[in-house]
Amino acid sequence: MKVKVIPVLEDNYMYLVIEEHTREAVAVDVAVPKRARPLPGALCTRAWHPNTGSHLDHLHLPNSHPFQLLEIVGREGVSLTTVLTTHHHWDHAWGNMELARLLPGLVVLGADERICALTRRLVHGEELRFGAIHVRCLLTPGHTSGHMSYFLWEDECLDPPAVFSGDALSVAGCGSRLETTAQQMYHSLVETLGTLPPETKRDEDDVPMVPSTLGEELLYNPFLRVAEEPVRKFTGKVAPAEVLEVLCRERASFERAAEPLQPQAQALLALQWGLLSMPQPK
């Protein structure tokens, strides 16, 4: 199993998973099928540290030669047959429509009817097969009600399995809880994702990014450690779902305090990613 990691937008990734014997390929979270990180210069984002309340700054350098998903497909000599989408938000699914137009017959899968160009809705526990690659679909509501994570492994392969968790789980964190209860989010993080094999890779690491394994996340990710005494003490709660609720609230407070993009910068970003159209000459 070969995974190409494609950076998109300011701080996001989409993936091309290749079955190396059949040369079939599966794309995960096609935000934009044509371009990647077009903004010049460096972008600085903040990560909140729950134990100290302080922040860590992370510097992201845009690629000087943007990728195109279909160019990578052609260069690898593979057949892209399927898109797996974790959730319906535009920065994970907005490219589905154009990709489906460019590749007639493309199958777009996910667990939420709001996903662009969806051809079939998946259910929790469903297993897919792409040659020697197995995919187990894990419903992980929290960030959205229809969020699906994908657990992948390959027959007769010594490489560890991988999980594509979208915005359900990130390095030392998780996505904002937007549409479900804290109890549902706890179940998704701790009882579904947290019980996968500890050697499971969270996404992949063939380009400079911040890879991790679930074993590592269980050591330092507070959203997976809601039953541990230091995290309980920080939140003042005991029940795991209530601990998680406080962590999410504290993280949201930190995000609100961060300086937002100026309206001009927001408009420029939207324009460069095709969310706004340029006026056509008459």
Side-chain angles (χ1 to χ4, degrees):
M1 181 169 63
K2 181 179 182 180
V3 179
K4 304 295 293 183
V5 182
I6 307 169
V8 294
L9 305 174
E10 293 178 292
D11 57 358
N12 211 2
Y13 297 90
M14 58 184 177
Y15 308 89
L16 186 68
V17 182
I18 299 172
E19 211 283 17
E20 296 188 83
H21 298 290
T22 64
R23 308 305 294 169
E24 182 178 3
V26 177
V28 182
D29 279 0
V30 181
V32 181
K34 288 187 175 181
R35 295 183 291 173
R37 286 185 181 168
L39 293 178
L43 297 169
C44 188
T45 60
R46 285 183 167 184
W48 173 71
H49 194 291
N51 292 330
T52 65
S54 62
H55 71 268
L56 301 174
D57 288 334
H58 296 278
L59 189 65
H60 301 275
L61 294 177
N63 293 324
S64 57
H65 300 286
F67 293 108
Q68 290 193 20
L69 175 59
L70 294 183
E71 284 183 356
I72 297 175
V73 168
R75 188 163 66 241
E76 293 289 333
V78 298
S79 175
L80 178 57
T81 63
T82 306
V83 171
L84 300 176
T85 304
T86 59
H87 61 294
H88 75 282
H89 289 160
W90 78 270
D91 56 338
H92 290 257
W94 187 70
N96 290 352
M97 191 73 72
E98 183 175 0
L99 198 60
R101 180 181 63 81
L102 295 171
L103 297 176
L106 183 73
V107 176
V108 179
L109 303 176
D112 196 319
E113 292 179 350
R114 294 172 291 181
I115 292 172
C116 293
L118 186 73
T119 58
R120 185 168 72 83
R121 189 172 178 178
L122 299 170
V123 298
H124 177 70
E126 184 172 351
E127 294 203 0
L128 310 173
R129 187 77 178 262
F130 302 96
I133 298 175
H134 298 259
V135 180
R136 182 174 299 149
C137 305
L138 302 172
L139 190 62
T140 48
H143 183 60
T144 67
S145 59
H147 194 292
M148 185 72 82
S149 297
Y150 301 98
F151 178 62
L152 279 68
W153 73 97
E154 189 171 8
D155 289 335
E156 300 179 4
C157 180
L158 297 179
D159 293 336
V163 63
F164 295 92
S165 53
D167 281 346
L169 180 67
S170 58
V171 175
C174 65
S176 300
R177 183 174 65 84
L178 300 178
E179 297 181 350
T180 64
T181 66
Q183 184 64 46
Q184 288 174 300
M185 191 172 188
Y186 165 75
H187 180 83
S188 297
L189 292 175
V190 178
E191 298 181 2
T192 299
L193 295 175
T195 57
L196 293 175
E199 68 273 17
T200 300
K201 290 183 178 181
R202 194 203 64 81
D203 302 333
E204 288 289 338
D205 56 355
D206 72 339
V207 298
M209 55 182 293
V210 187
S212 66
T213 66
L214 282 177
E216 293 167 344
E217 292 296 325
L218 290 168
L219 292 176
Y220 53 63
N221 190 327
F223 298 93
L224 294 177
R225 298 171 53 228
V226 292
E228 297 182 16
E229 182 56 31
V231 184
R232 287 179 171 179
K233 184 177 180 181
F234 171 79
T235 62
K237 301 293 183 180
V238 176
E242 293 180 358
V243 174
L244 182 63
E245 177 74 26
V246 173
L247 289 178
C248 290
R249 190 162 61 242
E250 291 290 329
R251 193 261 313 278
S253 296
F254 170 82
E255 291 174 343
R256 284 194 297 270
E259 184 178 355
L261 285 175
Q262 295 300 316
Q264 297 89 340
Q266 292 177 324
L268 176 61
L269 184 62
L271 178 63
Q272 291 187 319
W273 288 103
L275 299 181
L276 300 176
S277 58
M278 290 287 289
Q280 298 299 316
K282 294 182 179 179

